[in-house]
């Protein structure tokens, strides 16, 4: 196999040279009926643990496919330790947020229910499908962790002391996010928090102000939609303190 296969799939199976991997019915359908791939063709597999491998299609049929794992293409790495806490938003915008956050290298996605959160139910399997597809496309080797929604006070109470919490707030003495992020040690674990469409309530602001490891960051003079704010904060962090000094994976 000369070039790295373009089709890239996330699988749960262990990956090692010579291993045989059975695909899910959805993945088998995608290869067989959408891409019309036949036995002998190669794809790229990753599982979030064993790095990235090439794999040859040995057999494929309606709802099934069997692949033989070949070359080890990339060793396992994880995206930098950046978490995104955000107040759930409506479905299409939520899909967009988690897909783009995955591409931007978020490591943990934590919906946080605030007093003005409109949406409380978040469908985990839908988030998971969005995240997996985005990870396959952007060629990251790990999947972001998707957490169950929690209330803001609980999320703050459980927030690890060692992590800096950067709360994006459009009020008070928030400093420009570039300034706040530039002060953080490169790669230090950080949590970015954005509020709901209606913003944080005064009680929630007080809760945040009482957090010793919380820093308030501004995202400029305009009021951004929650998904825009979350993605903008992630972008700034990646550019200044994350892994954007690295280049994308070379194609073989
Ligand atoms: N209170 C406004 C409202 O009622 O629409 C703003 C809410 S805004 C749509 C949602 C969240 O995005 C805010 O809670 C904040 O976390 C973040 N955000 C939006 N614009 C921002 C800005 N210019 N600076 C910092 N954070 C911002």
């Amino acid at each position: 196999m000369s070039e790295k296969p373009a089709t890239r799939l996330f699988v749960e199976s262990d990956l090692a040279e010579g291993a045989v991997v059975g695909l899910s019915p959805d993945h088998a359908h995608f290869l067989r009926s959408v891409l019309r791939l036949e036995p002998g063709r190669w794809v790229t597999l990753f599982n979030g643990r064993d790095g990235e491998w090439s794999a040859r299609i040995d057999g494929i049929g309606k709802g099934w496919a069997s692949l033989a794992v070949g070359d080890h293409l990339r060793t396992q790495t994880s995206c930098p330790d950046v978490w995104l806490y955000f107040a759930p938003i409506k479905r299409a915008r939520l899909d967009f947020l988690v897909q783009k956050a995955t591409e931007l290298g978020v490591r943990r996605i934590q919906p946080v229910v605030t007093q003005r959160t409109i949406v409380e139910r978040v469908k985990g399997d839908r988030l998971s499908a969005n995240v997996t597809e985005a990870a396959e496309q952007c060629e990251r080797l790990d999947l972001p962790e998707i957490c169950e929604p929690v209330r803001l006070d609980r999320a703050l109470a459980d927030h690890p002391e060692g992590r800096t919490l950067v709360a994006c707030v459009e009020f008070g003495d928030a400093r420009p996010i570039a300034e706040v992020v530039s002060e953080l040690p490169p790669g230090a674990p950080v949590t970015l928090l954005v509020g709901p469409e209606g913003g944080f309530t005064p009680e929630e602001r007080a809760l945040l102000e009482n957090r010793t490891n919380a820093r308030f960051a501004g995202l400029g003079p305009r009021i951004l939609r929650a998904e825009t704010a979350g993605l903008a904060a992630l972008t700034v962090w990646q550019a200044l303190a994350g892994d954007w000094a690295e280049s994308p994976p070379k194609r073989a």
Side-chain angles (χ1 to χ4, degrees):
M1 193 253 337
S2 58
E3 196 168 284
K4 176 171 152 178
T7 302
R8 190 166 184 275
L9 301 176
F10 174 80
V11 294
E12 300 288 352
S13 319
D14 291 337
L15 296 172
E17 190 169 357
V20 175
V21 173
L23 293 187
S24 67
D26 286 352
H27 272 157
H29 170 77
F30 175 62
L31 296 189
R32 179 173 177 259
S33 308
V34 175
L35 300 183
R36 301 221 174 275
L37 296 184
E38 296 185 350
R41 298 292 297 274
W42 291 80
V43 297
T44 299
L45 301 181
F46 71 109
N47 62 8
R49 303 184 302 279
D50 302 326
E52 187 178 75
W53 294 76
S54 64
R56 189 189 62 249
I57 302 172
D58 271 356
I60 193 165
K62 192 170 172 47
W64 71 273
S66 174
L67 281 66
V69 176
D71 299 332
H72 195 194
L73 303 173
R74 282 196 287 163
T75 50
Q76 184 60 36
T77 56
S78 292
C79 287
D81 194 355
V82 56
W83 295 355
L84 179 62
Y85 283 17
F86 65 97
I89 45 184
K90 291 196 181 73
R91 180 177 294 193
R93 292 165 52 201
L94 181 56
D95 292 349
F96 181 83
L97 173 60
V98 298
Q99 286 170 12
K100 302 311 155 195
T102 299
E103 293 171 48
L104 288 170
V106 75
R107 188 176 296 177
R108 176 180 286 190
I109 293 174
Q110 172 65 67
V112 174
V113 179
T114 66
Q115 290 169 15
R116 292 176 181 159
T117 297
I118 300 163
V119 171
E120 289 199 12
R121 222 173 76 71
V122 173
K123 293 186 71 177
D125 54 349
R126 185 183 175 91
L127 291 193
S128 182
N130 275 303
V131 153
T132 302
E133 195 180 318
E136 289 173 340
Q137 174 277 325
C138 73
E139 302 202 15
R140 63 186 278 175
L141 289 171
D142 60 342
L143 289 190
E145 181 189 356
I146 299 173
C147 300
E148 286 296 316
V150 290
R151 287 198 355 218
L152 177 63
D153 54 350
R154 175 81 271 140
L156 295 180
D158 294 347
H159 190 257
E161 276 311 312
R163 299 186 73 89
T164 302
L165 180 77
V166 175
C168 298
V169 293
E170 75 285 6
F171 56 79
D173 56 355
R175 288 186 298 142
I177 187 167
E179 216 176 277
V180 172
V181 170
S182 300
E183 288 167 357
L184 303 177
V190 71
T191 299
L192 304 170
L193 167 68
V194 293
E197 285 171 52
F200 292 111
T201 62
E203 297 82 9
E204 289 167 338
R205 296 182 191 186
L207 205 57
L208 286 166
E209 273 149 0
N210 290 338
R211 292 282 313 174
T212 47
N213 62 353
R215 301 181 191 199
F216 289 147
L219 297 171
R222 286 165 293 282
I223 295 297
L224 310 178
R225 276 194 177 275
E227 65 271 29
T228 313
L231 297 175
L234 253 178
T235 299
V236 170
W237 186 84
Q238 281 291 17
L240 297 180
D243 63 3
W244 275 15
E246 296 172 25
S247 51
K250 302 260 179 304
R251 288 217 173 274

